[in-house]
Amino acid sequence: MISKTYAPQEIEDKWYSYWIENKFFQSKPNPDKEPYTIVIPPPNVTGVLHMGHMLNNTIQDILVRKARMEGKEACWVPGTDHASIATEAKVVAMLKERGISKRDITRDEFIEYCWEWTHKYGGIILKQLRKLGASCDWDRTRFTMEPDLYDSVIDVFIDLYNKGDIYRGHRMVNWDPQARTTVSDEEVIMKEVNQKLVYLRYPLEGENGGGSMEEGVTIATTRPETIMADVAICVNPADERYQHLIGKKVLIPLINRAIPIIADDYVEMEFGTGCLKVTPAHDTNDYELGKRHNLPIIDLLNEDGTLNERAQILVGEDRFIARKKIIKLLEESGNLVKVEEYRSNVGHSERTDSVIEPRLSEQWFLKMEKISKPAFDNVMNDTVQLIPAKFKNTYRHWMENVRDWNISRQLWWGHRIPAYYLNDGTIIVAKSKREALRKAQHDLQLFALTEEDLTQDPDVVDTWFSSWLWPISVFNGIKEPDNADVNYYYPTNDLVTAPEILFFWVARMIIAGYEYRGQYPFKNVYLTGIVRDKQGRKMSKSLGNSPDPIDLIEKYGADSIRTGMLFSSQAGNDLPYDEKLIEQGRNFGNKIWNAFRLVKGWTVDSELPVPEGSKLAVQWFESKLNQTLAEVQDHFSKFRISDALNSVYKLIWDDFCAQYLEMIKPGFEQPIDLSTYDSTLDFFDRQMRLLHPFMPFISEEIWQNIIERGEKESICIAHFPQAAEFDQAMLNDFDILFELVSSIRNLRNSKGISPKTALPLAIRTDSSERYNALTPLIEKLANVEGISYVTGEAEGTSFRVKSDEFFVNLADELDVEAERENLLRELEYTKGFLDSVMKKLSNERFVANAKGDIVEKEKAKQADAEAKIATLTDALARLK
């Protein structure tokens, strides 16, 4: 007995357990099958499911489930990323609650705490993905810090170093003072903020060392706390205001250190005062300027963003507190000219939201120009497809301006850089200290050296330096480049991810693919949009505008969330989230369930002949189903996943439930013939298989109930339905049928005539054979009797469908006076509408200046109005 209402919570748990127990998601290399592989964009081990994950993983699951049903060896590899900065922040916070500081414990102790945190919380998001219905091969779950993947990262570092592609250099980097580490350019988020533009006066140095304020220069800065690190004032050599000062010196306010006035074309004369303070340690552009002029570098900030001894004043103060205090000190000393409010973009760390500091630091870098070329060429020539293709321009811009990758991070949790230092600074890159010692003794002839003489680099590599290997390393393709898994599953097929990581994950995976496998890591990159709220804001916990996906699943069911997220999600376009979309998904599930209950509730009579109308309905829906299957396949081939869902939705809701079931439905307490019933169950079977990738749970429940299934049978391994030929002429005829029936039903509603009242119908047409064939369905659906054909006018109310005219005689059912009033009112309105259209078309200026399609639309309105006036006039005449 099928329950009256669909209860997703019970059904979803039941079927997911069944799928797991029967290992339907497991995959092994099978030479008799075509592989289909997706690797999950590994969520941070710190993460929990959010709305972006819901959209991304739903799309992945749809692609994987469809491939599995198509007979491919489908493999969806799950896993998590160790997320160096994010995890360290979580563990530091956890230790703080326990009264422990990271600075007071050893590295090994801290890493133990990281593992403790990872084991306790790291699997949450993967468990949540099961609630969504994700059909991952969970036995293949990988973690970027597990031994094999760890070794892969170290092996790649050593290999690239030995090739000369990795080097150590002193460069200006992005420094996160809160996390105390460098971050990449892509991890810096620019935010527009309010600042103070401080104008201050540098006095000109006198002969005896004193300063002359009258002859000094004024500069404007948003960072007055860095003036103690100034090493020069720069002006444009063509600026007549300052030419007489070039070569002289000014004194830095408050500390009175003399610095030269230099000239460089870099300075814009029209910007600010035309004078620029040069602070090479704390500004990227100043650093380049300093290199050109051989200027010294003074770094006055500690790792945590406090001022060090080189500042001479405000030592130990946080940079932002120092900024406020120094403005006051400048005012007291008479060096402050004025302060203005100023809005500008300031870089913030993506992970900690701390304001980024440009900082000179000794770091490890990967040379990108040569290694990235295959990844650039093969996206530009569409060997790797970006979907939508508009992102090729973004990709091109990044890759044509690629810079060496700063791959070192000043953290403890992560893949530790395999570099060892001798006391004299000599670097030995090796997998272990023992191997480094062997290399030192053998290669450098340092036989007296011991392990105590070697110090390993304390840094770890950038998280992306591990995840760029993900499509290869999850199949152990770095450690064992010829193993069965990587040879079968690599390259993978499709990657589903977000555009914001196109460069620092997607591009880098493509780079690694060509470097270590000689081919791309995936053929297609489907770039999702951002899930936004009704105000257009990105959904996030910090804004409090994002619902909890698990709460939504508990309330509506996973199938409802999956369809709701996809109803308005075009590739690369942001998704405007509205809970009404989730409700629409739930209503769709209820519609399907109620339709199935209706069909399973019918009594079947095997002796009953098949009604002509049912024969027609079955033939029509067979064609409609095949037309939709072809449409869906076309949408999938173009990665129009949302369009594919909408085609399935329309087929089931409109064509099957609203039309087909209405056509074949037996009378009240009447049985249905066996042939039509079997055809209907077959249609249900194929529609559930078509629906399964989108709504896996309800489709499984109904599919299992269509007939008795054996053990280890599941819709998730049933064949995805394939399109056959369809009768387009029949589909066209039925479109006319539905419009005709709708018109008659609307006529009844407008005239207040009961659906139970049979009405006579006269047809004026050149295609009477069409309506003769459809007569059983016209009579049943529209409740008409005595269909006749006329060559001229006929009694009754008329309407048109395409080129045919229909007359329904309502003489016995109609209030003539009320109908006359309605017709006159509608006629008057239509004439007024026609007048307004004619005024536009008679306006020569409008016709001359309006776009051609707009003029044509107005002419079409004119023709429609004139035809309607003729019809209304005829109807009034017939009433007399």
Side-chain angles (χ1 to χ4, degrees):
M1 183 67 181
I2 298 167
S3 63
K4 187 175 180 181
T5 57
Y6 179 63
Q9 287 75 19
E10 300 168 20
I11 286 170
E12 289 172 4
D13 289 343
K14 174 182 73 175
W15 288 120
Y16 201 86
S17 298
Y18 176 76
W19 295 330
I20 295 297
E21 287 164 11
N22 287 282
K23 304 184 185 302
F24 292 127
F25 306 154
Q26 273 193 2
S27 178
K28 293 179 181 177
N30 184 343
D32 297 327
K33 283 186 174 185
E34 176 189 345
Y36 178 84
T37 318
I38 287 184
V39 293
I40 204 168
N44 285 356
V45 73
T46 61
V48 293
L49 207 59
H50 59 61
M51 299 306 284
H53 290 133
M54 296 282 277
L55 174 63
N56 186 296
N57 286 283
T58 292
I59 292 168
Q60 290 180 77
D61 194 45
I62 288 167
L63 295 172
V64 168
R65 285 182 181 272
K66 179 173 178 286
R68 189 180 290 119
M69 294 176 75
E70 289 173 329
K72 297 172 185 174
E73 187 58 43
C75 180
W76 185 10
V77 182
T80 48
D81 187 278
H82 64 287
S84 292
I85 296 178
T87 303
E88 282 221 7
K90 294 279 188 182
V91 174
V92 166
M94 177 185 78
L95 293 176
K96 189 175 181 180
E97 289 177 2
R98 300 181 187 180
I100 303 171
S101 168
K102 177 187 174 184
R103 307 296 160 187
D104 296 336
I105 58 177
T106 66
R107 183 190 191 109
D108 288 343
E109 288 170 334
F110 182 78
I111 289 173
E112 280 301 313
Y113 283 120
C114 290
W115 279 112
E116 175 193 325
W117 195 95
T118 299
H119 292 318
K120 187 171 182 179
Y121 300 107
I124 290 175
I125 193 165
L126 297 184
K127 290 176 183 174
Q128 291 177 327
L129 284 175
R130 294 172 184 241
K131 296 289 288 181
L132 184 64
S135 62
C136 300
D137 183 347
W138 297 108
D139 291 340
R140 289 183 175 274
T141 303
R142 307 307 298 261
F143 178 47
T144 50
M145 282 285 281
E146 67 178 82
D148 282 347
L149 273 69
Y150 191 105
D151 287 347
S152 296
V153 174
I154 303 306
D155 289 346
V156 164
F157 186 102
I158 294 170
D159 176 64
L160 291 172
Y161 178 81
N162 290 337
K163 289 174 179 175
D165 292 329
I166 285 180
Y167 65 95
R168 197 161 187 254
H170 201 66
R171 298 284 184 84
M172 182 71 75
V173 295
N174 302 305
W175 185 262
D176 180 339
Q178 184 173 327
R180 301 191 189 187
T181 180
T182 61
V183 294
S184 67
D185 290 344
E186 294 77 29
E187 292 166 302
V188 177
I189 307 300
M190 302 306 292
K191 297 182 182 180
E192 192 175 38
V193 298
N194 291 318
Q195 296 195 88
K196 294 188 183 300
L197 187 61
V198 180
Y199 289 79
L200 63 150
R201 188 84 171 158
Y202 288 65
L204 194 67
E205 184 186 40
E207 290 183 8
N208 299 319
S212 169
M213 292 293 281
E214 291 75 20
E215 293 185 81
V217 295
T218 299
I219 62 99
T221 179
T222 57
R223 306 197 61 197
E225 74 280 6
T226 64
I227 63 170
M228 295 82 75
D230 291 350
V231 294
I233 296 294
C234 191
V235 299
N236 191 295
D239 195 333
E240 294 179 357
R241 294 172 295 175
Y242 303 115
Q243 282 178 346
H244 66 292
L245 296 176
I246 296 170
K248 296 186 178 181
K249 292 185 177 182
V250 293
L251 299 177
I252 298 175
L254 305 180
I255 62 170
N256 292 324
R257 177 164 53 81
I259 56 175
I261 298 175
I262 63 173
D264 196 287
D265 290 333
Y266 170 75
V267 179
E268 297 178 26
M269 291 186 285
E270 298 78 17
F271 186 78
T273 64
C275 294
L276 175 76
K277 68 191 266 321
V278 184
T279 322
H282 300 291
D283 183 273
T284 304
N285 294 320
D286 288 9
Y287 174 67
E288 296 300 325
L289 192 59
K291 282 201 298 184
R292 282 202 297 277
H293 292 269
N294 234 2
L295 298 172
I297 295 171
I298 302 171
D299 184 351
L300 56 68
L301 286 178
N302 293 313
E303 289 184 354
D304 61 355
T306 56
L307 273 61
N308 61 31
E309 290 76 10
R310 290 187 176 185
Q312 300 182 47
I313 58 173
L314 303 174
V315 175
E317 293 281 13
D318 177 80
R319 55 188 168 151
F320 296 120
I321 294 172
R323 181 176 299 178
K324 292 178 181 178
K325 288 186 175 181
I326 208 164
I327 292 173
K328 190 174 181 181
L329 291 173
L330 288 167
E331 185 177 17
E332 291 172 353
S333 68
N335 293 89
L336 186 67
V337 177
K338 62 178 178 177
V339 177
E340 293 178 348
E341 294 300 319
Y342 182 70
R343 283 187 70 78
S344 64
N345 285 317
V346 175
H348 289 68
S349 170
E350 183 185 36
R351 297 298 180 194
T352 65
D353 202 39
S354 177
V355 173
I356 290 295
E357 284 289 342
R359 189 165 193 254
L360 275 171
S361 181
E362 195 82 26
Q363 301 289 337
W364 288 92
F365 294 89
L366 171 62
K367 297 176 184 176
M368 292 292 283
E369 186 176 358
K370 180 182 174 185
I371 199 174
S372 65
K373 192 175 186 308
F376 175 73
D377 293 341
N378 285 282
V379 170
M380 289 302 104
N381 67 21
D382 291 328
T383 300
V384 179
Q385 297 253 13
L386 301 185
I387 301 152
K390 67 180 182 181
F391 285 107
K392 280 178 69 174
N393 289 332
T394 308
Y395 187 89
R396 177 196 295 275
H397 175 74
W398 277 332
M399 296 294 276
E400 285 182 339
N401 295 281
V402 71
R403 297 198 297 176
D404 287 356
W405 178 8
N406 170 15
I407 58 172
S408 48
R409 298 291 180 266
Q410 289 63 58
L411 301 165
W412 284 351
W413 174 244
H415 306 81
R416 192 169 178 182
I417 288 174
Y420 298 83
Y421 303 101
L422 303 183
N423 292 333
D424 63 0
T426 300
I427 301 173
I428 301 170
V429 171
K431 198 157 188 177
S432 65
K433 184 175 278 193
R434 178 171 294 182
E435 186 180 327
L437 178 63
R438 184 188 59 77
K439 286 183 74 173
Q441 292 174 337
H442 181 270
D443 298 346
L444 304 177
Q445 305 292 300
L446 299 173
F447 301 111
L449 216 62
T450 67
E451 287 190 11
E452 284 68 37
D453 298 311
L454 293 167
T455 303
Q456 186 174 358
D457 194 304
D459 293 350
V460 299
V461 294
D462 179 12
T463 296
W464 300 106
F465 193 83
S466 60
S467 56
W468 79 322
L469 304 175
W470 186 249
I472 307 173
S473 61
V474 294
F475 299 115
N476 287 342
I478 299 294
K479 289 191 70 177
E480 302 171 42
D482 201 33
N483 78 76
D485 271 3
V486 77
N487 285 339
Y488 182 73
Y489 292 114
Y490 188 97
T492 69
N493 295 75
D494 303 321
L495 177 76
V496 182
T497 190
E500 57 261 34
I501 56 174
L502 178 58
F503 177 69
F504 58 104
W505 189 47
V506 178
R508 287 170 178 167
M509 282 190 288
I510 301 172
I511 292 169
Y514 282 103
E515 181 71 13
Y516 286 101
R517 299 296 298 179
Q519 61 186 139
Y520 52 80
F522 27 71
K523 181 70 180 124
N524 304 295
V525 181
Y526 181 101
L527 297 155
T528 64
I530 297 169
V531 183
R532 298 190 181 277
D533 65 13
K534 291 179 181 178
Q535 298 176 43
R537 301 174 301 173
K538 182 177 179 179
M539 284 193 157
S540 68
K541 283 189 174 180
S542 60
L543 286 176
N545 63 345
S546 180
D548 185 326
I550 300 302
D551 289 346
L552 286 175
I553 291 174
E554 292 297 326
K555 182 177 179 181
Y556 293 105
D559 284 338
S560 304
I561 312 301
R562 291 165 66 108
T563 51
M565 294 294 288
L566 271 175
F567 277 135
S568 62
S569 175
Q570 305 297 324
N573 293 333
D574 291 351
L575 185 152
Y577 172 78
D578 188 330
E579 196 161 327
K580 288 180 180 177
L581 294 170
I582 310 297
E583 292 173 2
Q584 184 183 350
R586 179 192 60 191
N587 295 343
F588 185 37
N590 289 338
K591 184 79 170 180
I592 297 167
W593 187 255
N594 291 333
F596 187 63
R597 283 186 64 247
L598 172 70
V599 171
K600 291 295 278 187
W602 289 337
T603 303
V604 182
D605 186 343
S606 59
E607 303 297 321
L608 205 63
V610 184
E612 287 302 314
S614 295
K615 285 181 185 176
L616 287 168
V618 168
Q619 290 169 10
W620 167 75
F621 193 74
E622 182 69 37
S623 274
K624 193 67 189 179
L625 176 56
N626 281 305
Q627 182 194 46
T628 302
L629 288 171
E631 195 176 279
V632 167
Q633 200 63 42
D634 182 60
H635 287 323
F636 268 111
S637 72
K638 295 165 182 169
F639 285 86
R640 296 198 298 245
I641 313 299
S642 179
D643 291 341
L645 170 62
N646 283 315
S647 292
V648 176
Y649 179 88
K650 184 181 180 302
L651 174 77
I652 295 175
W653 189 293
D654 294 339
D655 301 318
F656 185 73
C657 295
Q659 304 290 11
Y660 173 78
L661 292 181
E662 190 71 17
M663 288 188 275
I664 60 125
K665 185 170 65 176
F668 181 64
E669 294 189 347
Q670 297 296 310
I672 189 171
D673 68 278
L674 180 61
S675 175
T676 303
Y677 183 76
D678 284 347
S679 294
T680 304
L681 289 185
D682 175 61
F683 290 149
F684 247 118
D685 175 279
R686 282 188 275 168
Q687 286 180 106
M688 290 307 98
R689 286 186 277 130
L690 175 61
L691 179 69
H692 179 70
F694 304 99
M695 301 179 79
F697 295 107
I698 192 171
S699 57
E700 180 79 87
E701 177 71 13
I702 289 176
W703 190 81
Q704 294 282 352
N705 276 286
I706 291 172
I707 59 170
E708 281 293 323
R709 306 284 178 187
E711 285 187 27
K712 294 196 175 182
E713 282 193 89
S714 170
I715 194 172
C716 68
I717 54 171
H719 292 302
F720 193 76
Q722 298 299 308
E725 290 185 5
F726 55 89
D727 187 340
Q728 186 61 56
M730 172 175 272
L731 294 177
N732 295 340
D733 286 350
F734 269 71
D735 286 343
I736 292 172
L737 166 69
F738 298 140
E739 192 173 343
L740 166 59
V741 171
S742 176
S743 296
I744 294 174
R745 288 176 176 175
N746 290 339
L747 186 62
R748 286 179 186 275
N749 291 337
S750 67
K751 310 304 181 190
I753 298 171
S754 168
K756 296 179 180 179
T757 302
L759 299 171
L761 176 66
I763 307 173
R764 184 166 68 186
T765 179
D766 293 330
S767 308
S768 57
E769 63 277 2
R770 170 191 291 149
Y771 299 104
N772 283 330
L774 295 173
T775 292
L777 291 173
I778 297 171
E779 290 177 340
K780 179 174 185 178
L781 298 176
N783 192 15
V784 299
E785 60 183 9
I787 296 177
S788 61
Y789 296 92
V790 295
T791 56
E793 295 294 322
E795 291 296 319
T797 302
S798 70
F799 57 86
R800 286 183 176 274
V801 176
K802 300 290 189 274
S803 59
D804 299 333
E805 190 168 9
F806 301 85
F807 304 88
V808 181
N809 193 337
L810 305 174
D812 296 333
E813 310 295 334
L814 201 61
D815 182 334
V816 176
E817 282 308 313
E819 179 63 10
R820 179 179 284 108
E821 286 181 19
N822 289 337
L823 289 171
L824 285 169
R825 191 161 43 246
E826 193 170 357
L827 181 61
E828 185 179 353
Y829 169 81
T830 308
K831 284 180 177 178
F833 175 76
L834 178 60
D835 285 344
S836 67
V837 173
M838 295 308 296
K839 283 179 184 176
K840 277 188 180 180
L841 290 173
S842 62
N843 185 329
E844 292 181 5
R845 183 177 296 178
F846 168 77
V847 175
N849 296 325
K851 291 182 179 178
D853 61 331
I854 294 176
V855 174
E856 288 305 312
K857 283 179 182 177
E858 292 302 315
K859 288 180 178 178
K861 288 178 185 178
Q862 175 192 350
D864 289 344
E866 288 171 345
K868 190 170 185 181
I869 288 170
T871 302
L872 291 169
T873 303
D874 288 345
L876 278 166
R878 282 194 294 272
L879 274 181
K880 293 176 183 177

